[in-house]
Amino acid sequence: MKLQRIGLWILCLTLMASLAQAQGVLIEPDHHRLPRPWPTPTPQPVPTTEYKIGKLDIQATLKDQIARVQVSQTFVNTGSRQLETQFVFPLPYDGAIDSLTLLVDGKEFPAQLLSKADARAKYEAIVRSSKDPALLEWMGHGLFQTSVFPVPPGAERTVTINYNQLLRKENGVTDFLFPLSTARYSSKPVEKIAIQLNIESSLSIKNVYSPSHNIQVDKSDKKRARVHYSATNEVPTNDFRLLFDVNAKKLGTSVLSYRPQGGEEGFFLLLTSPQIPEQEQQLAKTVLFVVDKSGSMSGEKMEQARGALKFVLNNLTEGDVFNIIAYDSAVQSFRPELETFTDKSRKEALGFVDGLYAGGGTNIDGALATALTQLKDPNRPSFLIFLTDGLPTVGERNEAKIAASAKTANTSHARLLTFGVGYDVNSRLLDRLAREGFGASEYVRPNEDIEAAVAKVYGRIAAPVLAGVNLSFDFDDPNTKQSPPISRVYPSGTFDIFAGEQVVLVGRYRPSGTAKVTLTGKVGAETHTYDFPAEFAKAGSDQTYAFIEKLWAMRRVGEIIDELDLNGRNEELVNELVMLSTKHGILTPYTSFLADEQSRPTTLASSAEGRRNQMQAGKALSRLEEADGLAGVSQRSSKQEFKNAQNGAAPSPSSAPGRPAAPEVAASGGYGATYRDAATDETVVVSSVRQIGNTTLYKRGQVICTSETSGLLNASNDGIDFEKHGKDIVTVERFSSDYFALCSANTSEENRLLSNQMEGEQLLVQLRGKNYLIK
């Protein structure tokens, strides 16, 4: 059976336990080339044979561990001849699926079930005949197939599948996965992707987390949640994955862990979110809004700032206290001291806001001093929202002194949330204020809405549950008493927990085994303690939670850049930045040189190539001296994206500034790495760096290598140095008997690397300790 030349799409629901992935594939007997997004020398056939993917709609109900799934896929024949196609659907797991039906435009088609052995033979035959390894990662799994159905020129067919599946549950976390990234096999971006999941539980739903996509979660009540994700004209780069847990406790916390082979420290992810009983009230808080009304804020910016102020005022609650500090050359307050929130004080404050107008200089130091001296109660959650669109021009102008004064005055441990509006701000000052003020910084570009940015941040902090939260880890292993078992935790330090917000915390761990995690926080002056068990994984080949390593690396990269930005040059940190960027394919404005095919992607700092990479990164890091302007804001925005990363996925080009044209995305096979260009503030996609699962592939000439195998390249970095390293390399011809024997020994994740080898490329990869060159 040969694959149709241009079209392929894969649909599935899977269990991560085996990494088996189900897919829907259109097959046509008379054509065989897969729809890879790279140019081929094959002449265009006449008449043409091609199709595009119109809409992919995924709806599922996840009730406890049972998933009821419906997937609708629209194919449009954009060619000039009729397609005679079949639809095949591999089993995601033995016995896990039942009640499968398949409709084509509402007509039910019978589906034949093939055994694992028969399915494997069919997969292997398809790969051999198509001369394309795209299906390798699904080999070895059973499969349904339908009879042939036609798709006339210009027509579309909607294929719908319905099935039930038992989901995997481990450590109290239920796991749902849909391999969305297989859309990279389409010759064009998917026009529309829509995912809607309804979670129903007999216990309260606590954490709902996607390690792959930025989802929206709506909780209608304690035992129901709705998850949304949508995208248009996109080549997806990651499989869609959702994790959720349930329990009856007030504080729901789960710990997931992953430990690579080779004796390295492990990586853990901690999720926690609170449940406020209906009879309990949320904590009262203090909110200070410090707003810039200098001359540069005139016009639309001032209107938006007023809107932001009104949003906060209209969303304070009974028991809160507040004040508004407005500043230009001088500083004025709504009240000389903090005001208790009532309907009367709210209306008076709204009147004060309407009377604000822009004019004068920018007295940042005076405004912060006035605000912080009003905060005196360390037992109340306190937040200072600081907004500016310019540089300090009145009073103290030295950024280090302004930050130091603010730190000294912040005796109540208030959290500073800074907003930089436009490009004419000292972004390094705002980052410094946020870091030393236990808060965060946000940047609102000239074409963005100030009110929307402030409302989004305030929505996360509106209802504090626990303040000043600390974590401790007690392992059963007695050896942990000698040195800290947990290190490099991000976010670091104490944090607050808010109703409706989920804390995503990552770190490293040394011992494996069982442990007790204790969480302490304050409700007013009273300390509350919660503890829960956790299991920290031993080293092994299980890749179920391998995404945690990438997420930790992204946050660590953000912390390193922050240290270099605020505390100056440190060669050890520069070396670590280059190592993490190289190993994990995390491109930054300072390591974007890794996209250059002439660079050597090595993590060995002691090698000549490693030293060269460090020098390039060090030179690029000098741009951190730019504190204002487009480049200053762009760099601090990029840094904050890394520090606050919620998953290990690269930013989606379709939602980032400077989105590239679809062909540029497709040219990367859907896996191109991205980075923010400091000079333009745009997201750049590079096809020479591909992120495949937890592994990064680099294109060097016609060789695709990893950071581990790049040392086997020749001096010109475009081929293998066989004279020096030939004895260390096993050469395998693609689609030979040895090739398929290697595939049989691989895991699905390892075969995923092979499946991304494009026509004309040589893959140099390390599998189970051996170096293989796939030609």
Side-chain angles (χ1 to χ4, degrees):
M1 182 68 68
K2 297 182 179 181
L3 284 181
Q4 182 262 352
R5 180 179 183 272
I6 301 294
L8 171 68
W9 177 247
I10 297 170
L11 309 173
C12 91
L13 179 67
T14 184
L15 292 183
M16 284 301 295
S18 65
L19 292 178
Q21 295 184 335
Q23 60 183 328
V25 181
L26 284 189
I27 295 179
E28 191 183 34
D30 355 356
H31 296 274
H32 61 269
R33 188 172 297 282
L34 290 178
R36 290 300 192 131
W38 70 80
T40 69
T42 306
Q44 184 71 14
V46 181
T48 59
T49 303
E50 62 181 17
Y51 68 72
K52 67 179 180 180
I53 301 163
K55 182 178 180 180
L56 173 61
D57 184 56
I58 303 156
Q59 298 190 43
T61 297
L62 314 180
K63 188 170 184 178
D64 296 322
Q65 280 185 259
I66 302 297
R68 299 193 304 274
V69 184
Q70 175 174 295
V71 181
S72 294
Q73 170 97 33
T74 300
F75 300 92
V76 182
N77 184 352
T78 57
S80 58
R81 74 174 186 85
Q82 178 166 293
L83 304 178
E84 297 292 336
T85 60
Q86 280 186 312
F87 190 80
V88 299
F89 183 80
L91 281 174
Y93 192 71
D94 289 341
I97 281 184
D98 61 22
S99 305
L100 186 145
T101 59
L102 190 148
L103 304 173
V104 180
D105 286 346
K107 179 182 178 182
E108 185 169 348
F109 273 67
Q112 177 190 4
L113 174 62
L114 302 183
S115 67
K116 272 191 174 183
D118 291 340
R120 184 177 185 85
K122 171 157 282 193
Y123 281 131
E124 191 168 312
I126 291 172
V127 172
R128 286 183 189 275
S129 62
S130 67
K131 298 301 181 185
D132 191 306
L135 299 181
L136 283 179
E137 60 188 295
W138 295 281
M139 291 178 66
H141 310 300
L143 132 79
F144 285 96
Q145 68 177 25
T146 70
S147 55
V148 174
F149 60 90
V151 186
E156 67 178 41
R157 290 288 183 266
T158 298
V159 177
T160 303
I161 53 177
N162 291 272
Y163 54 87
N164 297 336
Q165 185 175 20
L166 177 66
L167 301 179
R168 181 193 186 201
K169 188 171 184 178
E170 182 180 354
N171 297 325
V173 176
T174 303
D175 197 340
F176 173 94
L177 183 131
F178 189 91
L180 204 59
S181 66
T182 50
R184 71 188 185 276
Y185 299 135
S186 173
S187 58
K188 298 178 181 178
V190 182
E191 289 185 359
K192 185 174 182 180
I193 300 170
I195 300 176
Q196 181 173 301
L197 309 178
N198 295 304
I199 305 175
E200 301 176 5
S201 173
S202 54
L203 296 175
S204 295
I205 299 169
K206 297 299 184 180
N207 299 291
V208 180
Y209 172 71
S210 173
S212 59
H213 289 76
N214 295 320
I215 58 174
Q216 291 183 332
V217 180
D218 300 320
K219 292 185 178 180
S220 55
D221 59 48
K222 297 176 184 178
K223 299 180 180 181
R224 288 178 175 81
R226 179 173 291 184
V227 177
H228 305 269
Y229 174 78
S230 63
T232 57
N233 295 318
E234 183 164 289
V235 178
T237 58
N238 294 284
D239 295 336
F240 180 88
R241 190 173 178 193
L242 187 81
L243 308 173
F244 68 92
D245 63 356
V246 299
N247 65 57
K249 297 180 180 179
K250 177 179 178 180
L251 195 66
T253 305
S254 292
V255 175
L256 308 176
S257 60
Y258 165 70
R259 190 166 202 146
Q261 295 180 351
E264 298 180 34
E265 289 185 347
F267 303 85
F268 74 89
L269 167 72
L270 184 146
L271 302 172
T272 187
S273 58
Q275 181 78 50
I276 302 179
E278 295 179 357
Q279 66 272 17
E280 289 189 19
Q281 291 186 341
Q282 65 189 45
L283 293 178
K285 60 186 179 297
T286 300
V287 178
L288 265 171
F289 204 124
V290 183
V291 59
D292 186 344
K293 65 180 189 73
S294 60
S296 57
M297 284 287 292
S298 61
E300 184 179 5
K301 286 195 287 188
M302 198 64 219
E303 286 299 319
Q304 291 181 2
R306 290 193 192 98
L309 279 161
K310 291 178 179 179
F311 176 87
V312 173
L313 289 169
N314 288 325
N315 283 276
L316 294 173
T317 58
E318 184 179 352
D320 291 343
V321 294
F322 74 102
N323 206 350
I324 303 168
I325 311 295
Y327 68 96
D328 46 29
S329 301
V331 180
Q332 66 177 119
S333 301
F334 165 59
R335 291 286 189 264
E337 58 187 21
L338 294 174
E339 177 80 6
T340 300
F341 177 77
T342 62
D343 187 58
K344 179 175 181 295
S345 64
R346 179 184 66 84
K347 291 177 180 177
E348 291 173 346
L350 290 172
F352 176 82
V353 170
D354 285 331
L356 296 177
Y357 61 90
T362 307
N363 188 357
I364 290 178
D365 186 59
L368 289 172
T370 300
L372 289 168
T373 53
Q374 295 186 11
L375 301 174
K376 299 181 175 63
D377 187 353
N379 293 320
R380 290 177 66 93
S382 299
F383 306 94
L384 192 156
I385 300 174
F386 177 76
L387 187 150
T388 184
D389 80 330
L391 306 173
T393 59
V394 177
E396 182 59 64
R397 303 181 190 182
N398 181 281
E399 68 176 70
K401 291 183 179 179
I402 293 173
S405 297
K407 183 178 181 179
T408 301
N410 190 7
T411 57
S412 64
H413 205 278
R415 300 198 179 275
L416 268 66
L417 308 172
T418 65
F419 290 82
V421 180
Y423 293 127
D424 296 327
V425 296
N426 185 325
S427 57
R428 187 171 55 221
L429 167 62
L430 297 184
D431 275 14
R432 194 183 298 275
L433 287 169
R435 176 171 174 137
E436 296 183 355
F438 323 105
S441 52
E442 297 276 342
Y443 294 95
V444 185
R445 290 169 174 78
N447 60 339
E448 295 175 340
D449 191 327
I450 300 170
E451 181 180 351
V454 172
K456 182 180 178 180
V457 172
Y458 182 78
R460 296 201 301 262
I461 65 167
V465 176
L466 281 177
V469 176
N470 284 288
L471 289 169
S472 63
F473 298 80
D474 296 313
F475 282 78
D476 292 347
D477 185 348
N479 294 324
T480 60
K481 308 300 180 184
Q482 306 303 319
S483 60
I486 299 293
S487 63
R488 290 164 289 178
V489 176
Y490 305 113
S492 58
T494 62
F495 56 92
D496 299 330
I497 296 179
F498 303 92
E501 187 188 33
Q502 183 169 266
V503 175
V504 179
L505 185 144
V506 292
R508 303 294 302 268
Y509 68 92
R510 186 172 51 81
S512 298
T514 57
K516 182 176 75 170
V517 182
T518 303
L519 183 151
T520 59
K522 285 191 172 184
V523 178
E526 185 180 350
T527 299
H528 290 240
T529 301
Y530 306 87
D531 60 70
F532 46 91
E535 185 71 29
F536 290 83
K538 298 179 180 178
S541 58
D542 186 358
Q543 298 286 302
T544 301
Y545 300 125
F547 69 86
I548 301 172
E549 180 178 1
K550 177 72 177 290
L551 175 57
W552 179 88
M554 292 182 74
R555 290 198 179 176
R556 176 59 182 163
V557 163
E559 290 292 328
I560 290 172
I561 297 173
D562 201 31
E563 286 284 345
L564 294 170
D565 184 19
L566 302 183
N567 297 324
R569 184 67 173 267
N570 180 303
E571 292 304 322
E572 186 175 336
L573 290 178
V574 175
N575 296 347
E576 187 180 357
L577 173 64
V578 173
M579 184 275 292
L580 289 172
S581 295
T582 304
K583 180 179 180 181
H584 298 284
I586 303 172
L587 298 189
T588 71
Y590 323 108
T591 56
S592 59
F593 61 82
L594 292 170
D596 184 352
E597 292 194 26
Q598 299 305 311
S599 73
R600 181 67 63 87
T602 177
T603 57
L604 297 176
S606 59
S607 66
E609 295 86 357
R611 290 190 294 272
R612 192 178 302 116
N613 290 345
Q614 292 157 16
M615 289 179 62
Q616 285 188 263
K619 183 178 179 180
L621 281 161
S622 64
R623 293 214 69 167
L624 285 172
E625 296 175 6
E626 302 176 56
D628 58 354
L630 184 147
V633 169
S634 177
Q635 291 180 91
R636 273 79 194 182
S637 294
S638 177
K639 176 178 68 175
Q640 295 301 329
E641 288 171 2
F642 286 123
K643 290 182 65 177
N644 300 318
Q646 294 297 296
N647 51 61
S652 170
S654 63
S655 61
R659 180 183 183 268
E664 189 176 339
V665 181
S668 69
Y671 280 112
T674 63
Y675 70 94
R676 187 186 295 275
D677 189 317
T680 64
D681 198 30
E682 294 184 348
T683 297
V684 179
V685 179
V686 294
S687 58
S688 58
V689 183
R690 304 175 196 165
Q691 190 67 34
I692 313 298
N694 216 37
T695 303
T696 305
L697 295 178
Y698 294 90
K699 184 176 175 62
R700 297 298 181 258
Q702 291 305 306
V703 177
I704 308 299
C705 64
T706 66
S707 59
E708 292 82 7
T709 60
S710 65
L712 304 175
L713 298 178
N714 58 30
S716 57
N717 209 39
D718 60 0
I720 311 297
D721 189 343
F722 282 103
E723 183 175 345
K724 185 176 181 181
H725 300 293
K727 65 180 183 302
D728 301 320
I729 301 172
V730 178
T731 301
V732 177
E733 292 291 332
R734 294 176 85 194
F735 316 120
S736 65
S737 298
D738 289 342
Y739 179 81
F740 286 105
L742 179 64
C743 295
S744 298
N746 286 343
T747 64
S748 296
E749 191 69 21
E750 290 167 338
N751 275 338
R752 192 177 182 193
L753 294 177
L754 273 62
S755 74
N756 281 273
Q757 183 179 1
M758 297 182 181
E759 185 175 343
E761 295 178 346
Q762 299 179 28
L763 178 63
L764 184 60
V765 64
Q766 192 173 97
L767 302 170
R768 297 174 296 283
K770 288 186 178 181
N771 299 314
Y772 289 91
L773 176 64
I774 315 296
K775 300 181 67 174

